[in-house]
Amino acid sequence: IYRPFERGTVAWINGLRMTMAEQYAAKAPKIFRNAPELIQKSTDFYGAYVSRATGRGTLGKADAIAVPLGQVFFSLRSALSKPEAIAFANPMNLLDPAKAPVAREAALDFAWFLGEGMTALYLADKAGAKVGVDPRNSDFGKIVTPGGLHVDLWGGLSPLARAVVQGALDVA
């Protein structure tokens, strides 16, 4: 039962990556119409962003030993991909003309992600659910069910969402 599910998941995520890459490749010539030499560099940078945004992080020089590390650490590349994807929104990337469109898209993706999560939390709060709204609390961004189950809307990104909100509100 496990193997067919795994293959289906891998096929789906690879299809998603391919669709995202094709969409960027189609709009890159329009973005860089005055600098066609930047298309390949930007497309490669976008491919790296797509990999990170879809859970395929990099271990840098340790990539060669990823399989043995996987025996000790559960889903190490996926865990690393979350902060790596957000790092593409680094304002320094805006200074490089080939990276700037990708940096803007990464920032927009993360802003949408935060906005959707905050909207869901607001709606849950208005519906009477117990919601963690204090960014200094580890329950921030979580809905607590009457049975005590903590539902994390942001999955593995809740610590990053919490850090962004703390920074925006200047609280720690």
Side-chain angles (χ1 to χ4, degrees):
I1 226 170
Y2 173 75
R3 291 248 182 239
F5 176 76
E6 179 185 22
R7 300 299 285 149
T9 302
V10 168
W12 175 79
I13 200 72
N14 286 340
L16 175 65
R17 289 178 180 133
M18 191 65 185
T19 300
M20 292 175 73
E22 287 171 350
Q23 288 173 351
Y24 189 78
K27 67 182 177 181
K30 295 175 193 133
I31 295 170
F32 298 108
R33 76 175 70 91
N34 295 330
E37 68 279 1
L38 296 177
I39 293 174
Q40 187 61 51
K41 182 179 177 186
S42 184
T43 304
D44 291 345
F45 191 65
Y46 185 75
Y49 168 66
V50 167
S51 291
R52 299 329 178 275
T54 57
R56 185 78 173 160
T58 180
L59 304 175
K61 292 180 181 180
D63 267 342
I65 58 168
V67 173
L69 284 174
Q71 302 302 315
V72 179
F73 300 101
F74 175 76
S75 198
L76 186 58
R77 281 191 171 134
S78 178
L80 291 173
S81 72
K82 293 163 178 58
E84 286 177 353
I86 293 167
F88 279 80
N90 181 341
M92 294 303 291
N93 287 333
L94 294 172
L95 301 175
D96 183 334
K99 293 180 179 180
V102 179
R104 284 191 290 274
E105 186 159 334
L108 197 64
D109 287 349
F110 193 59
W112 271 104
F113 183 68
L114 284 175
E116 289 173 346
M118 296 301 283
T119 301
L121 291 171
Y122 174 80
L123 293 173
D125 183 52
K126 292 301 172 193
K130 183 180 175 197
V131 176
V133 293
D134 183 358
R136 295 168 295 187
N137 190 321
S138 62
D139 274 344
F140 172 76
K142 296 182 177 103
I143 300 170
V144 183
T145 65
L149 177 69
H150 295 235
V151 179
D152 184 359
L153 296 177
W154 287 306
L157 289 173
S158 59
L160 296 170
R162 188 173 154 215
V164 168
V165 173
Q166 283 178 339
L169 299 177
D170 197 24
V171 296

